[in-house]
Structures are given as structure tokens and as C-alpha cells.
Amino acid sequence: MNDAQIIARWVDSSAPWTLAVREGRIASRLQVTHAAMVEAVRARSPRSVFDIGCGEGWLARALAAHGIDVRGIDAVPALVESARQAGAGRFSTMSYEALADHGIDERFDVCVCNFSLLGERATNRLIDAIPTMLNPGGALIVQTLHPWLACGDAAYSDGWREGSWRGIEGDFGEPAPWYFRTLHGWMQLFACAGLRIDALHEPSDPQASLPLSLILIGIDAR
């Protein structure tokens, strides 16, 4: 398994994914994690946000409704086109590797990665480059699957896992693999990039009292 497989399989499933998000077919997102990310971003009172791995653009639309200027990138052209058609942001197709290598012609108050850090090396390179994309006092906000819940029955150690579309209605293709990180793995990723963890949140299912995601907020410590 590798980072390239992730993009190829998301290309195959971009259309059903767009429908799933826009029709509210993902219960955890509809009930908890969408609002948790919007709240985490708005708490920083940003004027500008860089949505990295923007998908079909739901977060850009949600933030634009609060007067925030959003620029989004994604490696899947069909998702970027869906975001453009829906409006409320400036979108372009770009891989994480290209972003890490060449940067971008703006700096932002907040960079966000909402369930969009699925690979290993591409994610490492991207996070290393984040400080160059932030305005002074800016922050990186990452929402990801909660390691405790996402680990399942596998060993609690960083490593590649098989993906799944389980629980999401739609005509999806083969699921993309993803790189599991422990809480320590995430914290090391931030630390190696010179980002200090400023806050950590665990949005939870209000009925089951289980953490549905992990939100990490890092600021440039250099």
C-alpha cells in the first residue's frame, strides 16, 4: 500500500462521495464532526483559511457563510470541479507533494485538513511545509479519525490499514488504504514540523459517549 493508491481510488469514488456528503449520508459527520471542525476554525477568528484536501467543498461553504475567505486544494480533479460549481471559495487541483515542494502564493490565518491526511510520506512532507503557509500567529487544524476508536482490533502502532466504505450508502469503488497514526504519532508529526500543540479536542457521540474524531490544533513554535 502507498500514497499513490489513495488518489487513484478516490478518483474512482469521487461522484458517490460527493453525493454522500451533500445528502448527509455519513451520520457521524452530520451529527458531530462537521460542526466540530467549523467551531474549531471559527474559534481562531480567521480572515483567511486554506482548506487542504477540500473534497467537494462543504467546509469552504460553511466557513464562507461566516464571512471567511477560503482557498481549497485537492488532488482529485472531479472533487475540485464539484467544489467550484458549488462556489463559496477558490479551488484548484494540486497534490500534497506539489504543495510541499512549491508552496503557494498566499499565507493564511488557518490551514485545515479535515479527514484529509490519509497517506504517510505525502502527509509528512505536507505538515513539514505548513509553517511556510501560515500568517504570524496562524494555526494548523487537523481533524482525523480518533486513534483509540479507529484502531479496532489491530495493534496500536503506526502503519498502513485497509480502507472501508462500511456504513455509507453509495456505489463506491474499491476503498483507499490509509495510514493509521497513534496519538503519539500525530504529536510527533506536529513536533517535527515545529508546530506546538495548542489545543486538542475529542468530538464525541452524545449518545454512546465514544470519541468520533480527534482535532489537533498546532501553532508555529519556531
Side-chain angles (χ1 to χ4, degrees):
M1 291 183 280
N2 56 54
D3 290 358
Q5 287 179 313
I6 295 174
I7 303 304
R9 294 184 184 177
W10 272 96
V11 166
D12 289 343
S13 292
S14 59
W17 175 258
T18 297
L19 286 175
V21 173
R22 294 184 178 179
E23 295 181 358
R25 299 179 187 173
I26 309 170
S28 61
R29 295 193 176 212
L30 187 65
Q31 296 168 4
V32 177
T33 64
H34 275 12
M37 176 52 99
V38 173
E39 181 180 351
V41 174
R42 292 190 65 207
R44 310 291 305 189
S45 300
R47 290 174 295 178
S48 60
V49 168
F50 188 23
D51 188 358
I52 303 171
C54 63
E56 54 73 54
W58 80 266
L59 181 56
R61 296 191 296 276
L63 296 176
H66 294 285
I68 300 170
D69 178 56
V70 184
R71 181 167 181 176
I73 65 104
D74 201 285
V76 180
L79 291 175
V80 171
E81 185 56 31
S82 292
R84 283 179 181 152
Q85 290 177 3
R90 297 167 291 130
F91 303 98
S92 55
T93 304
M94 183 183 297
S95 71
Y96 292 176
E97 293 89 344
L99 179 59
D101 289 345
H102 306 297
I104 200 161
D105 58 354
E106 292 181 63
R107 289 196 174 212
F108 305 89
D109 295 330
V110 170
C111 291
V112 298
C113 300
N114 187 64
F115 295 110
S116 60
L117 299 180
L118 305 178
E120 181 185 11
R121 293 181 182 178
T123 294
N124 293 345
R125 290 172 61 187
L126 171 66
I127 299 302
D128 281 344
I130 287 294
T132 68
M133 305 174 202
L134 292 173
N135 284 323
L140 168 66
I141 303 179
V142 171
Q143 181 165 222
T144 186
L145 294 174
H146 196 288
W148 180 78
L149 195 64
C151 183
D153 296 328
Y156 189 70
S157 59
D158 295 0
W160 285 98
R161 305 286 174 89
E162 295 287 349
S164 171
W165 299 114
R166 186 176 59 254
I168 309 175
E169 179 186 350
D171 187 21
F172 290 95
E174 190 172 358
W178 60 289
Y179 191 79
F180 173 84
R181 296 176 194 271
T182 62
L183 178 58
H184 176 73
W186 281 109
M187 295 181 74
Q188 283 292 104
L189 188 67
F190 275 55
C192 289
L195 294 165
R196 176 174 61 81
I197 302 295
D198 187 55
L200 184 154
H201 306 295
E202 298 173 288
S204 299
D205 182 330
Q207 295 181 340
S209 297
L210 293 173
L212 295 176
S213 69
L214 173 69
I215 294 179
L216 296 161
I217 302 175
I219 58 175
D220 191 352
R222 293 177 294 184

